Amino acid sequence: MSNALNQQNKEIVWDFWQKLNHVGAENAPDVIRAVVHDDVDWNGSAPIDRIVGVEGLISDFWLPLLHSFPDLKRAPYVFMGGIESGLSEWAGEPGGEWVTGCGYLTGAFVNDWLGIPATGKKTNIWFGQFYLMREGKIAESYVQYDVLAVMRQAGFQVLPPAPGAEGGKVPGPVAKDGILLTEQDPLESRKSLQLVEAMGKGLMRYVRDRDGGDMSRMEQDKYWHQDMKWYGSSGIGGCFTLEEFEDFHQRNWLHGFGDRHLDMDRGGRSMGFIGEGKYACGGVWDSYFSYNNGDYAGIPATGKLMTMRDFDWWKREGDYLIENWVPIDIIDLCRQMGVDLMERLRAQIEARKSNG
């Protein structure tokens, strides 16, 4: 029964995305109303944040977005779904019906968006999205947009250069097999889910006060393919070996946010882990995860308790994870550390006008 329900939900969302690619701004509201609950709880990455209700979603998000990018098209490269079992240590909502994907929104940037000056040029917006479905409609939505990458394409850099590879488009799966429109082998799905959960438990073996800069206790070489590719948001960048992953992302992250065993309710929203075929995914939204122990991205430590908006999609090859797409809301993270990256953008825009 759950497989049939999952397939039905995926078909609804896939059809929704295809229609939005072709109807234009004039007809988009009707397409959205047909699929989204009237009282939808919609959550976007900063500075968009939370919108409640389909009419607010249309007026406050979709119409401004389509005004800025009138020919906007969505091209996902991972698309999957699943029913959350609630059995995982990191469980979300038991029985929760999730449909999820990541990829790109692409269009000509003809009017300013979120305060970013329009360029008139083709612009790519990396996105990752989780939908919670109820009775065949979208009841909750959590979506990351790499707003910093849009800034960078417009010629503005509000953070230091990323440690990892940054610039251009974040690639999709090498095998181009991430669009899971058909039913997947349950055995393969369980293998993917079990591997991701084992990897996650390995991460939890790190204890900041004991291990410091030594990451060996996490034993990540047991879970990752030697040809692994890890793709992070702007400000982090891409890593193409386990060594690069440790040096360019993990070490910096643990220095800034090294707590892995907070003795408290995580809060926020958890999507748990879902496996489908050779892919798995998971996410948290506004969930407590660490104190801000050290500096990060050039911003001094605050000592504050931090929440995170973080998504993952993993590809398994055999007994190892080989690809991982990880959008993180860096603007929200910096905001909690007392740095407004949107204000940095405004200052750069004014400076450019003064010098122009």
Side-chain angles (χ1 to χ4, degrees):
M1 181 64 179
S2 63
N3 281 338
L5 181 59
N6 181 41
Q7 285 301 114
Q8 175 184 315
N9 286 335
K10 289 193 297 181
E11 288 172 8
I12 290 168
V13 172
W14 188 258
D15 182 63
F16 174 52
W17 282 2
Q18 302 316 304
K19 286 179 178 176
L20 283 178
N21 275 351
H22 300 290
V23 297
E26 182 178 348
N27 297 311
D30 288 339
V31 172
I32 295 166
R33 292 186 187 104
V35 179
V36 177
H37 270 283
D38 290 347
D39 57 353
V40 65
D41 185 353
W42 189 96
N43 299 268
S45 50
I48 308 165
D49 299 315
R50 190 181 187 206
I51 299 172
V52 177
V54 68
E55 296 305 323
L57 174 61
I58 291 168
S59 63
D60 298 346
F61 174 72
W62 270 108
L63 292 182
L65 178 67
L66 293 173
H67 179 67
S68 297
F69 306 92
D71 61 345
L72 194 72
K73 298 290 186 291
R74 184 188 305 263
Y77 45 56
V78 175
F79 180 78
M80 58 183 293
I83 311 299
E84 170 59 41
S85 68
L87 299 177
S88 165
E89 184 177 343
W90 297 278
E93 175 181 309
E97 306 165 25
W98 294 98
V99 179
T100 176
C102 61
Y104 272 95
L105 298 171
T106 301
F109 191 4
V110 299
N111 292 295
D112 295 359
W113 184 58
L114 303 178
I116 306 170
T119 63
K121 299 178 180 178
K122 175 183 174 181
T123 298
N124 300 306
I125 309 172
W126 192 38
F127 81 91
Q129 190 146 23
F130 278 80
Y131 292 118
L132 182 69
M133 308 293 290
R134 291 198 184 103
E135 299 174 347
K137 298 189 80 172
I138 295 167
E140 298 178 27
S141 175
Y142 303 86
V143 57
Q144 307 261 18
Y145 297 109
D146 196 340
V147 176
L148 297 180
V150 178
M151 291 184 196
R152 193 174 65 244
Q153 290 169 79
F156 299 93
Q157 186 81 27
V158 296
L159 281 177
E166 188 174 48
K169 292 181 71 174
V170 175
V174 171
K176 295 181 170 53
D177 60 354
I179 305 296
L180 307 183
L181 298 178
T182 58
E183 192 170 318
Q184 302 298 302
D185 182 345
L187 179 59
E188 293 296 311
S189 301
R190 285 197 296 273
K191 285 181 180 178
S192 300
L193 185 58
Q194 288 170 358
L195 179 58
V196 164
E197 291 189 332
M199 181 274 297
K201 289 177 180 177
L203 294 177
M204 297 300 290
R205 288 195 286 268
Y206 175 87
V207 178
R208 180 175 62 87
D209 291 341
R210 178 193 66 198
D211 299 324
D214 181 4
M215 296 180 287
S216 62
R217 288 182 187 268
M218 293 185 283
E219 299 180 302
Q220 289 297 289
D221 57 326
K222 291 184 175 180
Y223 312 108
W224 292 95
H225 196 283
Q226 62 180 358
D227 296 324
M228 71 169 289
K229 295 175 175 62
W230 187 96
Y231 300 107
S233 300
S234 291
I236 301 174
C239 309
F240 305 113
T241 64
L242 182 57
E243 184 179 16
E244 284 191 0
F245 172 60
E246 292 176 343
D247 290 343
F248 297 161
H249 170 58
Q250 209 167 30
R251 197 177 306 280
N252 297 329
W253 189 262
L254 292 174
H255 176 73
F257 318 102
D259 296 324
R260 287 276 166 85
H261 296 275
L262 290 180
D263 185 20
M264 61 184 302
D265 186 347
R266 291 172 67 103
R269 189 68 160 103
S270 173
M271 295 82 186
F273 288 152
I274 295 166
E276 191 174 27
K278 294 182 179 180
Y279 285 81
C281 63
V284 293
W285 193 270
D286 290 340
S287 296
Y288 295 112
F289 78 105
S290 180
Y291 286 92
N292 179 202
N293 304 300
D295 62 285
Y296 187 76
I299 303 172
T302 65
K304 293 180 180 178
L305 180 61
M306 305 288 288
T307 62
M308 181 166 56
R309 301 168 175 177
D310 167 60
F311 297 160
D312 282 90
W313 289 265
W314 295 271
K315 164 74 182 294
R316 175 180 59 83
E317 184 171 294
D319 295 328
Y320 296 94
L321 300 171
I322 192 166
E323 293 172 289
N324 189 192
W325 298 266
V326 192
I328 298 171
D329 191 344
I330 299 296
I331 295 178
D332 175 64
L333 198 71
C334 292
R335 180 171 62 184
Q336 294 178 67
M337 297 173 72
V339 174
D340 185 343
L341 297 184
M342 304 309 295
E343 179 56 39
R344 284 188 179 181
L345 171 67
R346 289 188 286 271
Q348 289 185 18
I349 292 170
E350 289 305 312
R352 187 171 293 185
K353 288 178 181 177
S354 300
N355 295 332

